[in-house]
Amino acid sequence: MSTGTPELTGNRLLRLWPAAAGIAFGAFIAYDLASGADLAPVLTASGLVYLGAAALQRPRAAWPVFWVAFVVIGAAGFTPWEDATTWVLLGFAAVFAVYGLVRGATRPFEEFPLQSLAMVAFGAASVAVLLIGGAAAAYIVAAGLLGHAAWDAWHRHNGRVVVRSMTEFCMFLDVIAAAAMVVVAVNG
């Protein structure tokens, strides 16, 4: 007898993996925040993933760009430079920007040009976080991540630039990380 609720089996369950992975990554980031981790690189990476896919003109490239950013962020603990991760990710963004321009990826506007503008905004917010520090920086990161979650939702709706799985993954990760950032900032 049917209860009116679709069963979560097979393909339906498989389609939930991006949300589940985003929740898991968000929880991982929230845990790191509790131990004093810096989220400026996560904010930088959020723009980088979209810019990379747009510059390469391959929506599926979003996942490899994400994994490279993840490795760079993870390697940060092994460097003596506190802010190196954000600067390395901004360097990758510059390389993608030059590559996209050389490749002539200037049309349509919603792809490479718009992603470049977004990367400038997310990158500027990340640099501001490095310069400001403290609770104000935490709120900037949280606002940036919530803005990126809206960006994800818009891209999921339009089906452009990155694959749908990336938008779904990022929406959950961004909202959870932003909420955790606010909780950590409020609790000092």
Side-chain angles (χ1 to χ4, degrees):
M1 183 167 182
S2 176
T3 61
T5 305
E7 290 184 42
L8 292 177
T9 57
N11 287 339
R12 288 185 184 181
L13 186 58
L14 188 58
R15 281 183 275 182
L16 295 176
W17 79 264
I23 291 167
F25 265 80
F28 175 72
I29 288 172
Y31 175 77
D32 271 0
L33 274 175
S35 62
D38 177 21
L39 272 190
V42 174
L43 185 57
T44 308
S46 67
L48 177 65
V49 168
Y50 279 74
L51 177 64
L56 296 169
Q57 296 177 322
R58 304 242 185 276
R60 292 191 183 278
W63 280 107
V65 173
F66 167 81
W67 287 112
V68 168
F70 178 76
V71 168
V72 169
I73 292 169
F78 300 102
T79 66
W81 304 286
E82 187 176 316
D83 301 332
T85 307
T86 298
W87 294 109
V88 168
L89 294 174
L90 289 171
F92 278 120
V95 169
F96 279 128
V98 169
Y99 179 78
L101 286 172
V102 168
R103 192 162 188 210
T106 58
R107 299 262 188 245
F109 178 78
E110 296 83 15
E111 294 185 11
F112 180 72
L114 186 59
Q115 303 314 312
S116 297
L117 293 173
M119 185 66 231
V120 168
F122 290 119
S126 296
V127 170
V129 164
L130 296 178
L131 296 174
I132 294 169
Y139 293 120
I140 291 170
V141 170
L145 290 173
L146 289 175
H148 194 265
W151 190 250
D152 296 323
W154 185 77
H155 282 84
R156 182 183 184 278
H157 174 74
N158 291 328
R160 299 183 88 147
V161 182
V162 300
V163 291
R164 184 179 200 145
S165 60
M166 177 56 71
T167 63
E168 292 171 359
F169 169 82
C170 278
M171 277 190 288
F172 284 92
L173 183 146
D174 293 342
V175 170
I176 292 168
M181 180 59 82
V182 169
V183 168
V184 168
V186 166
N187 292 325

